[in-house]
Amino acid sequence: MIPQLSINPALRNLPVYQPGRPIEEVARELGIPAGNIIKVASNENPLGPSPAALVAMQHALANINLYPDGNAFYLKQKLAVRLELPPANLILGNGSNEIIEFVGHALMHPDVDVVVSQYCFAVYPIVARLFSAGLITVPAKSYGHDLAGMLRAITPKTQVIFVANPNNPTGTAVSPTELLDFVRAVPQSVLLVLDEAYIEFQDDPLDLLPLVRSGQQPNLLLMRTFSKIFGLAGLRIGYGIGHPDFIAVLEKVRQPFNINSIAQAGALAALEDAGHIENTRLNNATGLKFFSTAFRSLELEFLPSSANFLLVRVGDGQAIFEALQNQGVIVRPMAGYELPEWVRISIGTAEQNARCLDALRSSLGK
């Protein structure tokens, strides 16, 4: 209790996002050396960051006494060239999570609705509740998005729809045709936030950048990140791609210097390291095949994934999570996503995948 302070009532029942457990925390809790623990819980890049990014970040340390470029000029220019659009179409965030919060500041308040899917990324409903917006959750279709149902859920008060493709935590993806039809069907008065954090892992993703370049879809905001395929999760850097007029609105709520100097240097170098990106894709494809084959052999239900993780049904998800953790393997239990019988396993290196599978077999008594 803090009786003398009038706390924002929106915070009273607001859930706190629970990330995958850090290796150091598990090591302290269980008395296991950190070097004996592997983490396959948070969809991180098991190959680490680009070597070129490490060199660039080391060089940036020499000027760490200076404030970073508040507008991240060079990173925006590099992204703009890569995406073939003007820098005015881009906004950078302290991870994609901050861009979700920007949207909250710009469009959410108690008199509006936000539409999400069941089993959506937990931060979408958290931000909606933070701004006291109405939350409409559409039941999932085969554990993925029911786009037709989401269109039907739009009310006159709807201001924002969140769709992640591929979706986290399920790994599901909708077909390019279905997604394009959905994008075009969303009313212009509703912002469609399309989270593409895992787009680089798809074999043939729908390219929606032409709609942004042409200005045909001013209510479309794409979100991407350096946390996944680029291996820079610890830097917290993501970006939004949208109509310049709406990007200008989001810039009004962006805090100064939200992207630090080290993050800017690392991201700039990582964009150029095509070899690291391709190695990550190949490692991921091999890992997905490895686990898919193993789960079929073990007769475990799992969801085919278009991302860098798999959702697998293990019975008592929390119990299996704890059993794996006791063996030095950190996965992600899914009870917080209304999936208590499931765990999510991120693709690791070949060695990590084999160790995780051995520990899972042992935990399941198989």
Side-chain angles (χ1 to χ4, degrees), residues 4-336:
Q4 301 303 314
L5 301 178
S6 180
I7 303 298
N8 181 348
L11 302 182
R12 189 172 297 122
N13 298 310
L14 188 70
V16 176
Y17 178 75
Q18 298 295 331
R21 300 195 69 192
I23 288 175
E24 295 78 10
E25 182 179 287
V26 173
R28 289 194 303 269
E29 180 180 302
L30 300 181
I32 302 174
N36 293 347
I37 297 173
I38 63 169
K39 182 185 177 189
V40 284
S42 299
N43 309 338
E44 295 148 336
N45 189 328
L47 303 186
S50 154
L54 289 175
V55 172
M57 289 186 285
Q58 186 67 41
H59 289 161
L61 289 173
N63 294 315
I64 206 67
N65 59 304
L66 304 176
Y67 284 104
D69 176 357
N71 293 312
F73 175 84
Y74 292 107
L75 180 53
K76 275 191 176 180
Q77 290 292 326
K78 182 75 72 175
L79 278 170
V81 170
R82 182 185 181 92
L83 301 172
E84 299 180 4
L85 42 70
N89 287 101
L90 300 170
I91 186 165
L92 298 175
N94 187 244
S96 297
N97 280 20
E98 189 180 30
I99 296 171
I100 298 169
E101 189 175 341
F102 293 163
V103 171
H105 282 292
L107 292 173
M108 296 180 196
H109 52 79
D111 295 326
V112 308
D113 288 336
V114 175
V115 175
V116 300
S117 174
Q118 184 185 20
Y119 313 134
C120 70
F121 181 43
V123 174
Y124 308 153
I126 287 176
V127 168
R129 290 169 179 149
L130 175 63
F131 290 95
S132 300
L135 185 67
I136 299 174
T137 303
V138 178
K141 181 179 179 182
S142 300
Y143 294 98
H145 289 77
D146 178 0
L147 296 183
M150 296 182 81
L151 287 174
R152 291 192 298 270
I154 294 173
T155 73
K157 295 170 59 177
T158 301
Q159 287 273 62
V160 183
I161 296 178
F162 286 103
V163 171
N165 193 60
N167 184 52
N168 176 27
T170 60
T172 53
V174 297
S175 71
T177 299
E178 185 181 5
L179 182 58
L180 182 58
D181 289 345
F182 174 77
V183 169
R184 289 174 169 160
V186 173
Q188 294 281 309
S189 59
V190 177
L191 178 71
L192 171 58
V193 181
L194 187 59
D195 190 339
E196 297 183 325
Y198 301 93
I199 189 171
E200 290 93 352
F201 294 104
Q202 288 186 278
D203 291 329
D204 189 23
L206 174 64
D207 181 9
L208 289 168
L209 289 173
L211 295 182
V212 178
R213 296 187 193 104
S214 67
Q216 295 176 25
Q217 212 71 38
N219 64 324
L220 176 64
L221 179 69
L222 307 177
M223 293 195 308
R224 296 185 182 180
T225 182
F226 285 88
S227 294
K228 307 306 177 185
I229 204 162
F230 291 104
L232 301 178
L235 295 181
R236 306 307 302 127
I237 181 164
Y239 56 103
I241 310 165
H243 192 280
D245 291 347
F246 184 64
I247 295 296
V249 171
L250 298 185
E251 286 286 358
K252 292 183 178 182
V253 299
R254 181 180 65 83
Q255 291 294 310
F257 311 119
N258 66 322
I259 308 299
N260 66 68
S261 301
I262 309 300
Q264 291 184 41
L268 261 170
L271 282 171
E272 294 296 319
D273 196 341
H276 183 260
I277 295 170
E278 185 57 28
N279 288 339
T280 300
R281 281 178 52 83
L282 290 172
N283 181 78
N284 191 67
T286 302
L288 286 174
K289 184 176 180 180
F290 170 82
F291 276 117
S292 297
T293 301
F295 293 159
R296 290 189 186 99
S297 176
L298 293 171
E299 298 183 339
L300 294 175
E301 181 183 356
F302 69 98
L303 301 185
S305 176
S306 297
N308 64 340
F309 57 85
L310 282 161
L311 199 64
V312 57
R313 194 172 208 155
V314 294
D316 186 337
Q318 183 64 28
I320 295 300
F321 158 74
E322 292 173 2
L324 288 169
Q325 189 173 255
N326 288 333
Q327 298 176 73
V329 177
I330 308 172
V331 298
R332 190 71 177 272
M334 288 285 106

